[in-house]
Amino acid sequence: MIATQKPIEIRKVTESRIHQVDWDNLGFGHVFSDHMLVMEYHNGEWGAPVIQPYGPLHFSPAISSLHYGQAIFEGMKAFRNTDNEVFIFRPEENAKRMNHSAERLCMPTLPEDVFVHCVEQLISLDRNWVPTLDGEALYIRPHMFAIDEYVGVKPSDSYMFVVFTSPVGSYYTSELKVKIEHHYSRASHGGTGSAKAAGNYAAALLPTKKAQDEGYNQLLWTDAESHEYLEESGTMNVMFRKGNTIMTPQLSDSILSGITRDSILQVARDWGYVVVEKRIAVTELIEGLRSGEINEAFGAGTAATIAPIRTICLDGEDFNLNEYSTWEFAPKVALYLDRVKRGRENDTHNWNHVV
Ligand SMILES: *Cc1c(COP(=O)(O)O)cnc(C)c1O
């Protein structure tokens, strides 16, 4: 039983849009399923969730999230196997992280069971929208934003929690070229880097665009204080394999604690790799690339699971890794996690939430 849950009101579409979808060209994030879930917070409590047709929301231009950025989000995926079973990957972790983000942005939290139940009911109604082919998934985007109609800087009293979903193809296809950034920063100590706060992504757009204009796909962010230690790559956590060791920057308040990161590290331990979470200096990375001791480098996140990094640029000098297909760890863990998420592998860690 979900003690804290108010019954979900369901207003179904009169006609599904599912037949209009070009399933062979899903891309990422621009096709939306029939329904969305909306729940409002007023006078210190959450109201009843409503599942309603996906579409525009109406609010005043004075709502505070548009001006002062009280806006947070989550990103997660659901998968469907050939037996028509639907699995959501580790949604409890997204519920926890959304609350972590909410606390940092001075927003109300949501009981974890309510979060999971809301997502589950929405997916259950739109289960035909969950793709079944390899590489595809239903991307789920829960988010929360302030809706007080008030032009003053203070924590809003009212909020909207919305979940919509989007069938997606695979996110990144090619091997990435990344540039080590040592002028701009993504997040600083004491800031909001460990929250999935909308403003963090706005601040990263210009530096990322500059790198893209120079021919790189993404940035490899360094710490804001010294720019000597690695943080993340784009909107992914970053990992390296050095022989039998999987290395990744240790979590801090400037690093987003990725669920993919956590899952990969767990699998690496299961497989007998040594997992090292520590501050990784740019100099250590470059030495490892020069000597050939670093054999793999990749981003980790829900959208791509694993995004192989082929080239790393420091101060105009490119360092290359071998072809992704020759790596021993990342391709194997990507395939393994994909199989777990699709219910094709023994789910030893109880990661799948069955809808
Ligand atoms: C969402 C996100 C990640 C990855 O988190 P997952 O839970 O694995 O999807 C990593 N870094 C940043 C900055 C993110 O926003």
Side-chain angles (χ1 to χ4, degrees), residues 185-198:
S185 12
R186 192 195 81 87
S188 61
H189 286 309
T192 57
S194 72
K196 264 183 128 67

Side-chain angles (χ1 to χ4, degrees), residues 27 30 87 92-93 120 123 145 168 180 199 202-203 224 244 256 260 273:
H30 56 87
F87 306 103
E92 305 80 9
E93 297 302 315
E120 188 182 42
I123 306 305
F145 52 95
V168 297
I180 297 173
N244 192 36
L256 199 290
T260 313
Y273 285 92

Side-chain angles (χ1 to χ4, degrees), residues 62-115:
I63 60 169
S64 53
S65 52
L66 293 178
H67 303 267
Y68 311 121
Q70 268 189 305
I72 57 176
F73 67 96
E74 272 302 320
M76 53 210 284
K77 276 180 175 175
F79 303 84
R80 182 153 60 122
N81 67 15
T82 43
D83 296 328
N84 205 27
E85 288 175 304
V86 171
F87 306 103
I88 309 175
F89 190 66
R90 308 189 73 182
E92 305 80 9
E93 297 302 315
N94 295 92
K96 277 186 208 148
R97 190 170 64 193
M98 176 113 163
N99 283 340
H100 168 76
S101 302
E103 276 166 10
R104 181 61 184 84
L105 278 276
C106 210
M107 299 166 82
T109 57
L110 197 63
E112 287 165 27
D113 56 353
V114 172
F115 177 99

